[in-house]
Amino acid sequence: MRVLMTAIPAPGHLTLMVPLAWGLRAAGHEVVVVSQPDLAPVIRGAGLPAHAVGEHLDQLAMLRERLPDDQPPIEAWGRQGEVMAAIAARTWATFTQYAADRYVEFATAWRPDLIVSEPFEFTGRLAGGVLKIPSVRHGLGVNGLTGRFDGTAREVLSRTADRLGLESGLPEPALTLDPCPPTLQYPGIGGAQPLRFVPYNGTGVLPGWAVDMPRDVRRVCVSLGNQTIALNGMPLLRRLIEAVSGIDRTEVVVAVSSSDLPLVGDVPGNVRLVDSLPLQLFLHHCDAVVHHGGAGTALTATSFGLPQLVVPQFLDQFDFGDRIAAVGAGIALDTVEKQNSVEGLRQAVTDLLEDSAYTRAARGLRDEMTAMPSPAETVTLLEELAAGR
């Protein structure tokens, strides 16, 4: 079986799909990942074949152009879920209008049996419709945006679909795979096939300190991801470091890219700055995670059964914060005022560390996730779908 996978040029969207790609390859199937040239190094780094289509498309530059120089998204845009979802959907649907022909051309030449796409990426669904093969949507976590995205995309892509001979418009996926534990997912969102989330945040070298169990201290991971920092997020990271490092008997591990390390400045002695180290290499000895609500970070923390403090900035990050708080496995500080308060940030992390109810709820989500069908088990379902069974 040949499987074509598609993703927008956002590394965090691809990394969630990598374990399924590995499962397909291990079962003997061919996999090619198609995206803009920007994503090719990430694809190759995961050990997968890449095919680059079109020109470089810097999505971070697109976002930065909309932001004032000194404001993060939450301050500039607030919590405008509907508005931001519509803008994001229209952005990627408009891109699809220009890229669809090249994607369809490659798919026609390569002749896949199945196409797997993440929710922001629409060319895969168009190509599946043209080739009359099943397309599968690989979810990114909490699905609050999916319905809003699809509605806008259908509107924008109606003429493109008609030009490609798809009279019913943008094709519906034949199957949706959901890596989010059902309890954490929005109530009432059904019809998806559960898929166990397997943490993959890139490759790295396992350091000695990550192997050793911390003694007489709690270890807290702080990770805001590359995108949050790039979108004027360094002041928030510095406040978080100040807040968490001020908690007694606590060691802070801050995951930050090599390019951002010099911008962090001096840190207290109980703070360890780690350069682009994948979270899955050291979370097993952590007691809590502080993050922005990005899907990869959030689901990785969930898979380790850790309570979470979420400081969302835009789009579905607010959805994840809402849900992790609703199920009692974490706290969401979702306003500028709350995120600007070092004392409030410190108290939230202290609560996560000292109230065992958060840990019990987080471990319940981990156990639920572990019971979901693995990527390897899901391959059989995809084989049957491609075969028309």
Side-chain angles (χ1 to χ4, degrees):
M1 180 171 72
R2 283 187 160 186
V3 181
L4 179 64
M5 304 185 86
T6 65
I8 67 169
H13 290 218
L14 173 71
T15 52
L16 270 76
M17 303 169 68
V18 166
L20 179 61
W22 287 343
L24 288 161
R25 291 291 296 124
H29 302 300
E30 295 183 66
V31 176
V32 169
V33 184
V34 181
S35 188
Q36 284 67 51
D38 313 69
L39 202 61
V42 182
I43 299 169
R44 294 197 306 270
L48 298 170
H51 178 72
V53 173
E55 307 299 326
H56 284 276
L57 183 64
D58 188 342
Q59 67 142 357
L60 277 178
M62 293 164 56
L63 288 168
R64 281 195 295 263
E65 287 175 359
R66 296 177 178 270
L67 277 177
D69 289 340
D70 58 348
Q71 292 183 358
I74 190 174
E75 185 174 346
W77 303 328
R79 183 171 178 152
Q80 301 183 54
E82 294 293 337
V83 174
M84 293 308 301
I87 291 174
R90 191 169 294 277
T91 296
W92 293 113
T94 300
F95 165 77
T96 301
Q97 289 178 315
Y98 295 99
D101 287 339
R102 284 172 287 184
Y103 276 75
V104 170
E105 180 181 357
F106 173 76
T108 301
W110 196 64
R111 304 303 298 179
D113 302 289
L114 186 74
I115 298 178
V116 181
S117 305
E118 47 95 353
F120 285 53
E121 211 290 316
F122 304 113
T123 57
R125 287 162 63 180
L126 290 172
V130 171
L131 296 181
K132 296 181 171 55
I133 60 173
S135 66
V136 174
R137 175 164 52 209
H138 190 302
L140 298 178
V142 173
N143 287 339
L145 289 180
T146 301
R148 288 174 274 179
F149 259 63
D150 269 21
T152 301
R154 286 184 178 283
E155 174 190 339
V156 175
L157 293 173
S158 60
R159 291 185 179 179
T160 302
D162 186 61
R163 180 174 56 77
L164 293 172
L166 303 173
E167 296 179 358
S168 298
L170 179 67
E172 282 289 332
L175 176 71
T176 295
L177 301 174
D178 188 359
C180 185
T183 298
L184 187 59
Q185 189 56 271
Y186 271 110
I189 294 181
Q193 168 66 29
L195 170 67
R196 185 193 311 163
F197 173 79
V198 176
Y200 171 71
N201 313 113
T203 58
V205 177
L206 180 64
W209 64 262
V211 179
D212 299 330
M213 177 77 73
R215 295 184 179 182
D216 302 321
V217 296
R218 287 83 56 91
R219 180 176 285 169
V220 176
C221 168
V222 177
S223 175
L224 295 184
N226 295 337
Q227 179 172 268
T228 301
I229 299 299
L231 299 178
N232 303 325
M234 186 57 72
L236 174 59
L237 180 63
R238 294 193 188 108
R239 286 194 298 275
L240 287 168
I241 292 173
E242 179 183 354
V244 184
S245 64
I247 301 173
D248 290 340
R249 297 192 308 105
T250 299
E251 177 188 69
V252 190
V253 179
V254 182
V256 64
S257 69
S258 56
S259 60
D260 292 326
L261 272 174
L263 306 177
V264 176
D266 295 333
V267 297
N270 62 335
V271 175
R272 184 189 300 272
L273 300 177
V274 296
D275 178 0
S276 302
L277 188 66
L279 299 182
Q280 74 265 16
L281 294 184
F282 66 88
L283 285 191
H284 54 286
H285 285 328
C286 287
D287 298 281
V289 182
V290 181
H291 62 85
H292 57 300
T297 307
L299 290 177
T300 299
T302 301
S303 74
F304 281 88
L306 297 175
Q308 303 169 48
L309 171 61
V310 184
V311 285
Q313 299 301 300
F314 71 123
L315 284 175
D316 53 344
Q317 297 171 5
F318 288 100
D319 293 336
F320 186 86
D322 289 347
R323 293 304 302 152
I324 203 73
V327 302
I331 297 170
L333 300 181
D334 59 359
T335 66
V336 173
E337 292 74 23
K338 291 176 180 178
Q339 294 184 12
N340 282 346
S341 169
V342 171
E343 293 77 13
L345 293 167
R346 181 177 297 140
Q347 186 59 56
V349 177
T350 300
D351 291 345
L352 293 181
L353 294 172
E354 297 186 354
D355 187 343
S356 61
Y358 290 111
T359 299
R360 286 196 300 273
R363 290 176 178 173
L365 291 177
R366 175 200 61 194
D367 294 344
E368 191 175 303
M369 181 180 280
T370 302
M372 295 163 69
S374 71
E377 293 170 310
T378 304
V379 168
T380 300
L381 180 63
L382 299 183
E383 291 170 342
E384 293 174 351
L385 180 64
R389 297 197 298 271

